[in-house]
Amino acid sequence: MIVPCALTTLILALLCFGLCCLCYADPYLPLSASEIPDDCNIPTEWQGWYGCKDTIQVRQREPAISLQHRGSPQRRQVADSIYAYETVLPEDLLQRGIGPLGDTKRLLKLFHKLLTGQPVSISFIGGSITQGGGVPMHDRPPLSFAGKVSNWFINTFPNSTVTVQNAGVGGVTSTYYGQCVDMFVSDENVDLVFVDFTLNDRASGIRGTSPLPDTPDRRGYEMLLRKLLAFNQKPAIIALHSWSPFFNTPHFYSTTEDLIQVLVLYYGLQSVSIRNALWHPTMRRQQNFKGFQWVCDSLHPNTLGHRYYADIIVGLLQDVALQANIHPYVEPDPSQFDVPPPMFDNNLESASKCLRGELLQQRVYQSVGWNWVDEGKDGRHKYGYVTEEANHDIIFVVNNSGCPDPNMVVTLGIGHLKSYERMGQALISCISGCACQPTTFDGHNPASTASQEFWAYVAITQSEQCVFEVASLAVTKSGQNKVKVTSLLLTCMSPENALEVPIFQPKPEKTETAELVESAMQTF
């Protein structure tokens, strides 16, 4: 029997429609502003538990390798201690959040020290989330992700002395932090560093949309990694990719994570991803993972969110610690810790000196209309010199000599605040002892909703007594004139590599101010 063409067409259409229905999935509904909570200061017993306090299931993970018939009783006891941590994340989400293990020799070295009772040093570096942002101040030591991870080390390896430094600084990027890492990370013998800049680097202006991985932000992140990798103890480094469903919108790829992860893979490091773990359950508004249940504002995780962060980090650490517990440790050849060439061309780290806090105050010769203030809150200090009006200047005196090559220029960095409101412009100019091209920087950054610290660069000639000023200007794009200087940076850099700093101007004639400064410098 021959089926009429019209009927055949109808049957085929119905079949295709049925197959398409099997393949098609409705897109996730975007999160709305009405779903953003604002409860970062609500007491801990309520924060982050809206409708999920009774549905959270606490569990202990099972070792990735069965120890029933292998290892001594002592090793099995250590393994029990490694996995005694109680997690609230389901195993499938936790596994999604753990990145490729890469080259684990640095982590295995760390766990060898812990298993043999040697002291270890751990540092957490990053922005406000690393500081504990989102957790009420009095609860941060035990309930922030850094506190929970630190306690896992202390409780799991009681025979070792574990020293922990939380060196988080709110509102800074990896580029800014990398230039001053020696100041922030106080222990040059640190064994493990957690690096958390994925959110802040996105807020710096790239916003995760650049098709090119070779940007100043990415180069800054690589330089930070290279400096850390070369520390005395050849520390392990774990990259933490923070993520917020309200900030990293609207797509899965609306983050710098993938661009940063290329560097993590290049150097064989370890990483954890909050996005990879929580994207799907959060976008589905799944119980326990609705945005308002684990985030306290548009950016910061609350106490439950910090627990999710800690669960993934500890999960990674547990699996590597188990390997160290089972297999005898073989000391690698020192050459295996050598840092490879930079991924980005000519992105070699250079010697630098960072002046911040008291060191910055000591370099001020004179100021008019500038005040030393702390604009931080909740225990997160944000010191700097601030002026709110135009035509106010502050004069600094520094010794920027001593580069290996006297023909090298010195790159001067002015650490300053950029924000989306109130910020004005300022002019950097040399007064005496050194020469530079007057350079303007603008603190107004309407493309971002974050307030962050950035560097404004200018090339200056070397001098034992370099006198320069920062002067607030009347011109403004925000309608106001606030300028904040937070730090100074001095870096030896050859002229051919100083592509992003202004060229020299002829050395200026002495002024009355310059003569007064030089006189004062006799006793500086």
Side-chain angles (χ1 to χ4, degrees), residues 4-270:
C5 291
L7 182 59
T8 303
T9 302
L10 177 61
I11 292 172
L12 291 173
L14 290 172
L15 286 172
C16 289
F17 180 76
L19 290 173
C20 289
C21 286
L22 292 175
C23 302
Y24 179 76
D26 289 331
Y28 291 133
L29 294 175
L31 298 177
S32 66
S34 63
E35 297 178 76
I36 300 177
D38 185 18
D39 63 352
C40 291
N41 293 315
I42 289 180
T44 297
E45 57 266 30
W46 296 104
Q47 186 185 26
W49 299 88
Y50 297 109
C52 59
K53 191 169 184 179
D54 297 329
T55 57
I56 289 286
Q57 295 183 356
V58 178
R59 65 185 180 89
Q60 290 182 346
R61 299 181 67 218
E62 294 293 331
I65 301 173
S66 175
L67 298 177
Q68 185 175 0
H69 302 295
R70 61 190 302 177
S72 64
Q74 181 181 3
R75 290 183 185 274
R76 290 197 292 271
Q77 184 178 3
V78 172
D80 290 340
S81 179
I82 290 172
Y83 285 90
Y85 175 87
E86 293 184 333
T87 179
V88 298
L89 269 185
E91 187 65 20
D92 61 330
L93 299 183
L94 193 148
Q95 290 295 335
R96 278 179 173 267
I98 298 176
L101 288 183
D103 184 350
T104 57
K105 64 176 175 286
R106 289 175 181 250
L107 264 182
L108 291 173
K109 176 187 174 187
L110 166 76
F111 284 118
H112 171 69
K113 295 179 70 171
L114 289 165
L115 290 166
T116 54
Q118 301 179 53
V120 300
S121 174
I122 300 171
S123 287
F124 294 85
I125 69 174
S128 57
I129 294 177
T130 293
Q131 286 182 313
V135 178
M137 192 66 194
H138 63 281
D139 293 314
R140 286 182 182 175
L143 296 180
S144 67
F145 85 81
K148 284 187 170 296
V149 172
S150 300
N151 286 335
W152 177 81
F153 277 105
I154 294 169
N155 296 333
T156 304
F157 305 99
N159 295 326
S160 288
T161 300
V162 179
T163 302
V164 178
Q165 179 197 16
N166 189 324
V169 180
V172 301
T173 65
S174 61
T175 301
Y176 185 96
Y177 203 104
Q179 298 286 14
C180 299
V181 66
D182 295 335
M183 171 175 287
F184 291 129
V185 181
S186 58
D187 188 354
E188 61 184 10
N189 293 312
V190 65
D191 297 287
L192 170 63
V193 184
F194 293 92
V195 180
D196 174 26
F197 287 103
T198 302
L199 272 177
N200 278 10
D201 280 5
R202 181 177 185 269
S204 67
I206 297 301
R207 302 191 69 79
T209 59
S210 172
L212 300 175
D214 190 353
T215 65
D217 285 346
R218 302 295 80 75
R219 284 178 168 264
Y221 195 99
E222 180 181 35
M223 190 169 292
L224 170 62
L225 293 181
R226 294 182 62 82
K227 287 186 175 183
L228 292 171
L229 288 168
F231 272 28
N232 290 347
Q233 292 298 317
K234 312 302 180 188
I237 298 175
I238 297 178
L240 168 59
H241 298 307
S242 293
W243 174 75
S244 167
F246 302 109
F247 184 77
N248 299 110
T249 60
H251 304 293
F252 184 80
Y253 54 80
S254 299
T255 168
T256 56
E257 175 174 335
D258 301 307
L259 296 173
I260 290 175
Q261 185 66 9
V262 173
L263 286 164
V264 174
L265 296 173
Y266 178 81
Y267 288 98
L269 309 178
Q270 291 72 49

Side-chain angles (χ1 to χ4, degrees), residues 249-508:
T249 60
H251 304 293
F252 184 80
Y253 54 80
S254 299
T255 168
T256 56
E257 175 174 335
D258 301 307
L259 296 173
I260 290 175
Q261 185 66 9
V262 173
L263 286 164
V264 174
L265 296 173
Y266 178 81
Y267 288 98
L269 309 178
Q270 291 72 49
S271 64
V272 296
S273 169
I274 307 305
R275 177 200 64 177
N276 291 354
L278 302 186
W279 169 271
H280 292 293
T282 298
M283 299 306 293
R284 293 189 190 112
R285 278 72 166 183
Q286 187 173 316
Q287 180 61 21
N288 303 337
F289 298 99
K290 299 172 185 177
F292 67 86
Q293 290 178 324
W294 68 273
V295 179
C296 77
D297 56 21
S298 64
L299 185 66
H300 299 92
N302 58 25
T303 52
L304 180 59
H306 272 268
R307 187 159 185 174
Y308 289 159
Y309 276 51
D311 286 357
I312 303 172
I313 296 171
V314 171
L316 165 64
L317 295 170
Q318 286 173 324
D319 292 345
V320 179
L322 181 65
Q323 294 289 339
N325 182 46
I326 292 174
H327 303 293
Y329 180 71
V330 178
E331 183 74 36
D333 185 274
S335 63
Q336 294 187 38
F337 293 106
D338 290 346
V339 181
M343 189 181 84
F344 296 124
D345 292 343
N346 301 317
N347 198 32
L348 292 168
E349 58 274 27
S350 60
S352 60
K353 183 177 183 180
C354 188
L355 305 174
R356 189 178 175 90
E358 291 184 5
L359 293 178
L360 176 65
Q361 291 178 283
Q362 293 170 5
R363 298 303 186 275
V364 175
Y365 167 71
Q366 177 180 298
S367 65
V368 176
W370 293 74
N371 297 300
W372 180 255
V373 299
D374 180 6
E375 297 185 318
K377 59 182 179 179
D378 297 332
R380 303 193 299 265
H381 298 293
K382 294 184 177 181
Y383 293 107
Y385 283 100
V386 174
T387 183
E388 300 278 356
E389 299 179 14
N391 303 316
H392 287 170
D393 61 348
I394 182 169
I395 298 174
F396 297 94
V397 184
V398 296
N399 180 349
N400 65 352
S401 63
C403 290
D405 181 352
N407 295 321
M408 281 185 174
V409 301
V410 174
T411 299
L412 168 66
I414 306 294
H416 66 101
L417 181 69
K418 296 190 74 170
S419 186
Y420 50 92
E421 59 181 1
R422 298 178 55 204
M423 303 305 296
Q425 300 182 29
L427 177 68
I428 309 167
S429 56
C430 291
I431 296 175
S432 172
C434 51
C436 64
Q437 179 72 31
T439 302
T440 300
F441 65 83
D442 191 350
H444 185 51
N445 187 20
S448 174
T449 57
S451 297
Q452 295 181 288
E453 294 182 43
F454 285 77
W455 293 112
Y457 294 112
V458 59
I460 59 177
T461 55
Q462 294 188 53
S463 169
E464 293 184 357
Q465 296 180 1
C466 175
V467 183
F468 64 92
E469 72 172 0
V470 177
S472 57
L473 301 176
V475 61
T476 176
K477 297 177 181 177
S478 72
Q480 298 187 49
N481 302 96
K482 177 181 177 180
V483 179
K484 181 176 182 180
V485 174
T486 61
S487 52
L488 301 178
L489 172 72
L490 302 170
T491 303
C492 295
M493 185 179 294
S494 59
E496 59 268 23
N497 291 332
L499 300 179
E500 297 184 19
V501 295
I503 59 174
F504 290 133
Q505 68 168 4
K507 188 173 181 178

